[in-house]
Amino acid sequence: MDQVLTMTNVFDELIALPGLRRLFDLAWRTFGVNPALVSMDGRRVVLFDPEARAQPFCRALNALPGGRELCAMCDRSKFLEARRDGHALRYRCHAGLREFVIPVIRDGQTIALLQCGQVHDRVPSAAEWKEARKSLVSAGIRGPELRTLFQRNRVLTPARQDDLLELLALIAARLAHSDERELQTVPGQTQAALGRAMTYIETHLAERLTVEAIARMANLSTRSLMRLFRKQVGTSVVDFILRRRVARARRFLQQEGRTCAEIAFECGFGSVQHFNRIFRRFEKSSPSEWRAAAK
């Protein structure tokens, strides 16, 4: 009983954070997905603008008899898996859509879950719809409009999904290690400055980046920029740059014909040795080992 009460109190603290909606809005504006914050028992869900932001297929499916219950059953099994293993999950739901669950971990304990998705890896084929329809029909769910809506659902390529997962991991870390004072809503100008800094970093990853140059592009002092990243992103400017370079390297490693040396320089690492060291720091394996495991 004490454990349930503690988890309830922690979840109440999380949903009371003033910056929570701003973080979720960032995922919506950037990737077109609408994250939900889910309590440990799966019974409480915080979801902003669910009607306006739901994918068309999922909205129609949930409106059909049995549709919502089927989705909830699928969600519960993945919530259990994420809580048990403590790792982010990328999986296909019962209807063939890509979904994501990311545990929010504080002091080694999962205190909540982030969930989002409802996307395709690519424009779905007729065979993929046939497979999804088979699963739905076996559960007693039929809807003449579902096929058209299935085709219209948002597409998020695997590379973009990697970027989304990185953003969700940053949000999860921010929630796990922040309190109400740290997540106060920032003024619009400050938020715009952060966006300018992130955009500049993303478009210049292959080049030499300095905190001073990024601050100038964001119209901030270097001290303000570093403080802003610590407060709003939960990491230093340098670590953010390294994370983005490693994320780009992962995408390149999945492509045929690129050597590790080429990838190192295309991602802004000064040498192969530096690339290997930073990649291992974040991925716990060398680039070549990661590439072999990803095949």
Side-chain angles (χ1 to χ4, degrees):
M1 185 67 178
D2 290 340
Q3 178 70 9
V4 173
L5 181 61
T6 301
M7 285 295 101
T8 299
N9 292 343
V10 169
F11 192 74
D12 286 339
E13 292 172 7
L14 291 178
I15 64 178
L17 293 171
L20 183 64
R21 173 155 194 155
R22 179 172 48 79
L23 291 169
F24 283 15
D25 285 349
L26 179 61
W28 170 252
R29 292 195 306 271
T30 307
F31 297 99
V33 298
N34 196 23
L37 185 66
V38 184
S39 65
M40 284 292 292
D41 58 10
R43 296 178 181 177
R44 302 177 65 190
V45 179
V46 176
L47 187 66
F48 298 111
D49 298 334
E51 292 301 319
R53 295 181 176 183
Q55 299 297 341
F57 174 79
C58 296
R59 185 190 298 115
L61 178 59
N62 276 270
L64 293 172
R68 187 176 298 276
E69 292 76 11
L70 186 62
C71 292
M73 189 186 313
C74 178
D75 289 343
R76 282 195 295 270
S77 68
K78 296 304 178 181
F79 292 165
L80 288 170
E81 185 177 347
R83 290 202 302 265
R84 183 188 68 237
D85 298 339
H87 298 300
L89 299 180
R90 176 174 9 193
Y91 63 94
R92 289 192 186 278
C93 72
H94 61 91
L97 299 180
R98 185 66 68 187
E99 298 272 2
F100 312 93
V101 176
I102 297 88
V104 179
I105 300 173
R106 178 183 292 170
D107 297 327
Q109 183 178 18
T110 300
I111 59 173
L113 299 161
L114 284 173
Q115 183 197 28
C116 71
Q118 302 178 342
V119 298
H120 294 302
D121 296 344
R122 59 185 179 279
V123 176
S125 65
E128 286 169 323
W129 163 245
K130 184 177 179 181
E131 189 66 25
R133 182 179 181 277
K134 180 181 177 182
S135 174
L136 294 173
V137 170
S138 67
I141 297 174
R142 291 178 173 83
E145 78 282 12
L146 288 181
R147 178 172 185 171
T148 299
L149 296 176
F150 186 80
Q151 296 288 338
R152 286 171 48 195
N153 240 54
R154 180 176 294 276
V155 171
L156 205 62
T157 65
R160 289 287 286 162
Q161 291 173 26
D162 288 342
D163 292 337
L164 170 61
L165 280 169
E166 183 143 359
L167 173 63
L168 293 173
L170 287 171
I171 292 175
R174 197 78 185 106
L175 293 176
H177 300 103
S178 299
D179 59 23
E180 186 172 346
R181 293 186 302 277
E182 293 175 322
L183 275 175
Q184 295 293 329
T185 303
V186 296
Q189 289 184 344
T190 305
Q191 189 172 357
L194 180 61
R196 288 194 299 270
M198 288 182 168
T199 299
Y200 181 77
I201 290 169
E202 196 68 32
T203 54
H204 293 79
L205 279 178
E207 305 166 21
R208 182 176 179 269
L209 285 167
T210 65
V211 175
E212 292 77 15
I214 298 166
R216 283 197 302 272
M217 293 302 299
N219 296 324
L220 294 170
S221 68
T222 55
R223 183 176 179 181
S224 294
L225 178 72
M226 291 187 290
R227 186 169 60 246
L228 185 61
F229 264 77
R230 281 292 185 190
K231 182 177 181 181
Q232 302 303 327
V233 185
T235 188
S236 68
V237 179
V238 173
D239 258 19
F240 180 81
I241 294 169
L242 293 176
R243 286 180 182 277
R244 298 307 307 137
R245 283 174 168 160
V246 169
R248 176 176 288 188
R250 289 200 308 266
R251 294 200 298 272
F252 287 163
L253 285 166
Q254 293 174 340
Q255 300 173 7
E256 297 292 337
R258 289 179 184 263
T259 67
C260 286
E262 290 171 340
I263 293 172
F265 291 108
E266 288 176 18
C267 295
F269 294 100
S271 66
V272 176
Q273 291 76 15
H274 185 225
F275 174 40
N276 288 338
R277 184 171 68 254
I278 299 302
F279 194 93
R280 185 178 291 277
R281 171 182 159 191
F282 288 107
E283 299 298 327
K284 311 305 179 189
S285 67
S286 70
S288 57
E289 291 168 345
W290 189 94
R291 168 180 269 169
K295 288 183 178 179

